Amino acid sequence: MKVERSRKLYKEASRYFPGGVNSPVRAFGSVGGTPLFIKKGLGSTIYDEDGNRYLDYVMSWGALILGHAAPEVVKAVEAAVKNGSSFGAPTKAETELAKVIAQAIPSIQRMRFVSSGTEATMSVIRLSRGFTGRNKIIKFDGCYHGHCDSLLVKAGSGAATQGIPGSAGVTKDLSRDTLVCPYNDIEYFRKVVLKYAEEIACVIVEPVAANMGVVLPHEDFLGEIRKLTAKHGIVLIFDEVISGFRFHFGGVQTLQKIRPDLTCLGKIIGGGLPSGAYGGRKDIMDCVAPLGPVYQAGTLSGNPVAVAAGLAVLGVLKNKDYAALDQMTAELCLGLTEQFDRNGVPVTINRAGSLFTVFFTSKPVTDFKSAKNADTAKYAKYFWSMLRQGVNLPPSQFEAQFLSFSHSERDARKTINAADRPV
Ligand SMILES: *Cc1c(COP(=O)(O)O)cnc(C)c1O
């Protein structure tokens, strides 16, 4: 595996970008070494600047459910950009995309397009506060909702529920308004809701957690959250930025038949272009400007090129066989489990549809605390071993591996074969 050119490019990039990258995980900090510079992608394969090719399981962190450079998306983007890439005025296609989304996720009665998942989550927090007149919010430890200040908050020490800043620059005052609960612990959540009920504006949750590695919600976890929030007039937000259109043509909410008040989308609905959306109950969404007092805006919101990509992706996805993708991912995970067993490497593989994480621990992973049992040094070894054999995994133990409809049985077999080494 040649890395000379990537190394050189990284060195040069580091003169202009902090850590040489434009988003931290790309810097390979958790696995060591220096990042690959990617030149192009096609289907399930990416090629770097040194001419190496890799089977890709990052897939732009889940945005590319049809694979790299999907022909339908490329065609739609080309056609759109020829007619002008941005107007700062409404276009017909925005409503077309909204219709598709509203039909697939009926809780979204009104929506607004934005340019990233972070913008969507940042906006729903402001909206929930504006709608309820309350200040506090609840998030779950290990869930990631983008980098807005109120959500860059982590659990305090011990039994403290009030969060502490998850980043320098987030003020203590702000983080105190974010209450942090462990994922999958409904009794803890119930206590927090009862203690602060009248002060809580909203609860935000990844209905399938995918940012501490994949962690599935226990049966009834989401249903109980729905019941408690409804009872106390708390806005329930499902952050479906990853899960939206990932497991079927809709959200986790439509699979589990739970109706959140607001939903955030991103990644898949942008088809690999900068995009996001938030939406939900009409009475709440009507609080957004220009109808209501909660301000939110964007120069590139509903961007015609991103909207065209979104329409193209959803148009193709509508007829895709999610069950087959699910099956292929299950077989891949089974094959990996057999390899690790054979080599005596203790792992726990959590899978939801076409997302999974190999945790290097023998214990079940059900929340952030148990995720942290994983041996990150082992993961780093596994990552490099796979990369050297042409398989690109996420450069962190606490991320999901993403399959796409462009991954094949052959890709899966290649991946299983590559995992045939003790780590
Ligand atoms: C990626 C992600 C976000 C943030 O989206 P960006 O487009 O990176 O700002 C928010 N929530 C979840 C669940 C995500 O996975």
Side-chain angles (χ1 to χ4, degrees):
M1 175 181 157
K2 278 191 304 182
V3 293
E4 283 75 23
R5 283 182 66 84
S6 275
R7 278 214 187 122
K8 193 164 159 268
L9 288 164
Y10 181 60
K11 222 171 132 187
E12 201 181 350
S14 301
R15 286 208 288 271
Y16 299 96
F17 307 119
V21 292
N22 285 304
S23 196
V25 73
R26 298 177 195 172
F28 276 26
S30 332
V31 291
T34 54
L36 305 176
F37 275 60
I38 306 305
K39 192 168 184 180
K40 63 174 186 176
L42 190 64
S44 60
T45 306
I46 51 170
Y47 301 81
D48 71 9
E49 293 281 353
D50 284 284
N52 303 305
R53 68 181 266 177
Y54 305 93
L55 183 51
D56 189 20
Y57 286 101
V58 177
M59 302 310 290
S60 188
W61 302 103
L64 302 178
I65 196 168
L66 298 180
H68 293 278
E72 299 87 348
V73 178
V74 172
K75 205 172 136 205
V77 166
E78 275 175 357
V81 80
K82 275 185 188 149
N83 287 326
S85 61
S86 183
F87 307 111
T91 59
K92 195 173 78 183
E94 288 160 74
T95 308
E96 283 170 30
L97 180 58
K99 269 186 203 164
V100 176
I101 291 171
Q103 202 166 44
I105 307 179
S107 75
I108 303 183
Q109 298 174 321
R110 294 283 186 280
M111 72 193 84
R112 170 140 304 163
F113 292 137
V114 291
S115 299
S116 70
T118 295
E119 252 189 282
T121 57
M122 180 182 79
S123 305
V124 289
I125 298 300
R126 186 186 306 132
L127 173 57
S128 303
R129 284 173 167 154
F131 175 75
T132 59
R134 301 168 175 181
N135 289 343
K136 291 196 187 306
I137 65 172
I138 296 183
K139 73 162 293 228
F140 292 90
D141 202 20
C143 283
Y144 175 70
H145 305 289
H147 65 86
C148 99
D149 285 4
S150 286
L151 295 167
L152 267 189
V153 169
K154 58 186 181 185
S157 58
T161 303
Q162 289 183 335
I164 58 172
S167 158
V170 174
T171 64
K172 284 205 189 73
D173 282 347
L174 192 67
S175 65
R176 268 197 289 274
D177 273 337
T178 301
L179 309 170
V180 185
C181 295
Y183 201 77
N184 273 330
D185 188 342
I186 199 66
E187 286 315 314
Y188 190 107
F189 177 76
R190 190 191 312 278
K191 277 187 201 141
V192 172
V193 167
L194 293 181
K195 181 165 174 196
Y196 295 98
E198 301 302 305
E199 297 172 70
I200 302 171
C202 65
V203 173
I204 185 165
V205 63
E206 282 182 83
V208 167
N211 285 291
M212 49 178 141
V214 174
V215 174
L216 281 77
H218 289 164
E219 211 189 323
D220 295 341
F221 179 59
L222 300 170
E224 287 298 315
I225 293 177
R226 175 66 286 183
K227 273 189 217 151
L228 277 161
T229 47
K231 192 170 163 199
H232 294 280
I234 299 166
V235 174
L236 175 59
I237 303 159
F238 272 15
D239 180 351
E240 301 231 36
V241 170
I242 281 189
S243 62
F245 299 96
R246 171 50 62 178
F247 307 119
H248 80 135
F249 197 76
V252 172
Q253 58 187 276
T254 37
L255 276 179
Q256 295 216 0
K257 300 193 170 49
I258 296 170
R259 204 178 170 94
D261 301 306
L262 295 173
T263 298
C264 297
L265 296 170
K267 299 197 168 101
I268 288 177
I269 65 155
L273 274 82
S275 185
Y278 67 95
R281 257 168 59 185
K282 179 181 175 303
D283 60 327
I284 303 179
M285 288 301 292
D286 283 353
C287 291
V288 177
L291 276 189
V294 178
Y295 191 71
Q296 188 275 314
T299 301
L300 294 180
S301 295
N303 174 264
V305 184
V307 164
L311 272 169
V313 167
L314 296 187
V316 176
L317 272 184
K318 197 159 185 152
N319 303 310
K320 283 290 186 188
D321 186 356
Y322 278 89
L325 181 58
D326 190 289
Q327 180 63 25
M328 188 167 76
T329 316
E331 281 163 21
L332 170 56
C333 289
L334 191 65
L336 289 174
T337 304
E338 284 168 5
Q339 295 288 45
F340 289 118
D341 280 354
R342 195 170 302 138
N343 288 311
V345 181
V347 296
T348 294
I349 300 184
N350 280 0
R351 183 182 73 86
S354 52
L355 303 185
F356 71 96
T357 299
V358 178
F359 290 100
F360 285 85
T361 170
S362 56
K363 298 188 189 127
V365 176
T366 58
D367 58 10
F368 195 39
K369 194 162 162 249
S370 48
K372 284 190 285 194
N373 285 331
D375 185 337
T376 53
K378 256 192 190 155
Y379 183 84
K381 267 177 81 178
Y382 175 60
F383 168 85
W384 278 106
S385 165
M386 295 298 274
L387 194 67
R388 276 193 285 270
Q389 295 174 83
V391 180
N392 184 50
L393 304 180
S396 162
Q397 166 72 90
F398 305 108
E399 300 284 359
Q401 268 182 250
F402 297 88
L403 272 78
S404 73
F405 283 105
S406 65
H407 285 73
S408 65
E409 304 270 342
R410 206 164 143 251
D411 292 339
R413 273 198 303 277
K414 184 183 163 180
T415 309
I416 294 166
N417 288 337
D420 183 27
R421 322 246 152 136
V423 285

